[in-house]
Amino acid sequence: MIVVKVELWSAVTGKKRKLAEMRISNDGTGTDAKSHYDGAIMRKPDFREVTREARVEDHRRHALTVWHLVAKMLKTMGYV
């Protein structure tokens, strides 16, 4: 599973605060070259409840970076 966390690191106080979390998991189907992924945006404050879900299919996992997958997932979820 890929976990993408967004944190705010204050330059003033030095405190770190988690703002967001997305989880992406390979569903085990597809091929070695093209895989399918399920994604979920987790809800604050405890990041246990899912607020949005999406699916990316046929992602070329060896030809593209993890950032391509994150961008595709965000777009599928309607953020971009």
Side-chain angles (χ1 to χ4, degrees):
M1 178 186 313
I2 298 167
V3 179
V4 180
K5 297 178 185 179
V6 177
E7 296 179 330
L8 174 63
W9 294 15
S10 174
V12 176
T13 66
K15 290 184 179 182
K16 296 177 183 179
R17 185 173 58 145
K18 186 168 154 183
L19 301 177
E21 180 177 307
M22 177 171 56
R23 299 176 186 170
I24 302 174
S25 56
N26 186 322
D27 72 357
T29 65
T31 66
D32 183 54
K34 291 184 179 180
S35 295
H36 310 307
Y37 296 88
D38 295 316
I41 297 292
M42 309 310 291
R43 185 182 304 272
K44 286 175 75 171
D46 59 4
F47 301 98
R48 293 184 184 183
E49 184 180 338
V50 174
T51 185
R52 288 194 194 192
E53 293 179 298
R55 181 170 174 82
V56 171
E57 295 186 347
D58 297 325
H59 176 70
R60 296 177 298 143
R61 61 191 211 120
H62 297 297
L64 300 172
T65 70
V66 67
W67 295 113
H68 290 97
L69 177 59
V70 170
K72 285 180 187 180
M73 192 63 72
L74 287 171
K75 184 175 181 182
T76 304
M77 289 177 173
Y79 286 105
V80 180

